[in-house]
């Protein structure tokens, strides 16, 4: 049977606060995010691996606080003055990417000081703690390493199946519970893998006009999992 040409016509993932799935893996980080009045000097680092929920959290937090969102690698000493508004909120995403980039490191250092001087909230996201970023600027490194951190843990037994159901629902796909249960017991607790796996299952099911079964799920898990081992 000829494979059917597929187009990705899926809806954007649901990303409101109501759509965020709360479990032990992220409950403490969310509580810290929701208490900016308790952030030391108005600054917080949000740490979590790919697919851990950082983007979802930042999306609704920024919307609720009217925060401007920028990326670490775009920072320069000259650009930060326009980013930091007095008493406002600012998000710097993927700050781990600045390590080894002298211009971006200087930019984040100036932004850090300016946010404090102007009483602005500063939320910084990264995939790893600052000690692993490779920051060369000593003054910036010392500030980052002593900052408060909210840690997003790996998905637990409750989060992974709930995320799989949500990812399928975002693509308007209803999947039998036994398929979700089977995957949850056998795949790594990796939300990035879950996202790629659901996308692959959707494409393969449409292309070959196959029902989404445990067999199809197993075939695609075998193809994707080795790269994450």
């Amino acid at each position: 049977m000829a494979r059917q040409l597929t187009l990705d016509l899926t809806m954007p993932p649901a990303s409101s606060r109501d759509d965020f799935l709360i479990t032990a893996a992220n409950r403490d980080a969310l509580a810290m995010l929701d208490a900016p009045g308790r952030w030391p000097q108005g600054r917080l680092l949000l740490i979590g691996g790919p697919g851990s929920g950082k983007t979802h959290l930042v999306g609704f937090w920024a919307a609720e606080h009217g925060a401007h969102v920028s990326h670490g690698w775009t920072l320069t000493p000259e650009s930060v003055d326009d980013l930091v508004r007095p008493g406002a909120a600012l998000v710097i995403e993927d700050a781990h990417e600045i390590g080894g980039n002298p211009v971006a490191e200087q930019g984040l250092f100036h932004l850090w000081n300016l946010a404090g001087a102007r009483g602005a909230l500063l939320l910084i996201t990264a995939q790893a703690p600052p000690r692993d970023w490779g920051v060369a600027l000593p003054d910036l490194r010392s500030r980052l390493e002593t900052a408060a951190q909210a840690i997003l843990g790996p998905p637990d037994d409750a989060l992974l199946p709930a995320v799989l159901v949500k990812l399928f629902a975002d693509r308007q796909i209803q999947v039998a519970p036994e398929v979700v249960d089977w995957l949850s017991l056998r795949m790594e607790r990796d939300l990035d893998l879950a996202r790629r796996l659901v996308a692959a299952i959707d494409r393969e099911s449409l292309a070959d006009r196959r029902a989404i079964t445990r067999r199809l799920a197993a075939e695609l898990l075998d193809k994707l999992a080795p790269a994450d081992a």
Side-chain angles (χ1 to χ4, degrees):
M1 178 185 298
R3 288 172 62 87
Q4 179 177 332
L5 178 64
T6 62
L7 299 175
D8 190 352
L9 301 177
T10 57
M11 299 292 290
S15 56
S16 70
R17 177 181 285 270
D18 290 341
D19 295 306
F20 188 74
L21 304 170
I22 303 173
T23 73
N26 55 41
R27 185 177 292 113
D28 290 345
L30 177 60
M32 291 184 69
L33 207 66
D34 279 342
R38 299 181 182 177
W39 299 1
Q41 299 179 314
R43 305 179 184 96
L44 181 69
L45 306 185
L46 179 62
I47 310 296
S52 61
K54 294 193 305 299
T55 299
H56 194 160
L57 278 169
V58 166
F60 66 72
W61 188 89
E64 291 169 0
H65 290 80
H68 176 78
V69 180
S70 190
H71 287 79
W73 61 269
T74 68
L75 298 176
T76 68
E78 296 77 23
S79 69
V80 299
D81 185 68
D82 291 334
L83 295 178
V84 184
R85 294 171 294 159
L90 176 65
V91 179
I92 301 299
E93 292 228 73
D94 299 320
H96 58 279
E97 296 180 349
I98 71 167
N101 182 333
V103 174
E105 289 186 17
Q106 286 285 351
L108 183 56
F109 179 66
H110 286 295
L111 185 147
W112 182 280
N113 293 332
L114 197 58
R118 295 182 178 177
L121 287 175
L122 178 58
L123 175 63
I124 299 174
T125 77
Q127 293 184 8
R131 64 175 180 270
D132 299 328
W133 298 1
V135 172
L137 187 62
D139 288 341
L140 175 61
R141 185 171 63 245
S142 64
R143 284 163 172 74
L144 290 169
E145 290 182 352
T146 57
Q149 298 182 13
I151 307 296
L152 291 166
D156 53 27
D157 290 340
L159 183 57
L160 184 56
V163 166
L164 287 168
V165 170
K166 179 183 182 300
L167 289 170
F168 281 116
D170 286 342
R171 292 175 173 269
Q172 301 181 347
I173 300 170
Q174 288 188 335
V175 179
E178 57 264 27
V179 175
V180 172
D181 292 342
W182 188 92
L183 284 171
S184 300
L185 289 172
R186 288 162 178 81
M187 65 182 289
E188 294 292 325
R189 293 181 178 182
D190 181 333
L191 300 189
D192 186 55
L193 172 60
R195 184 169 56 243
R196 292 187 289 111
L197 178 60
V198 168
I201 290 172
D202 185 20
R203 288 193 301 269
E204 193 73 13
S205 174
L206 289 173
D208 288 345
R209 299 183 178 87
R210 297 174 64 183
I212 298 177
T213 62
R214 289 194 303 181
R215 180 176 179 179
L216 175 60
E219 290 175 8
L220 294 171
L221 180 59
D222 284 344
K223 290 180 180 179
L224 293 177
D228 299 83

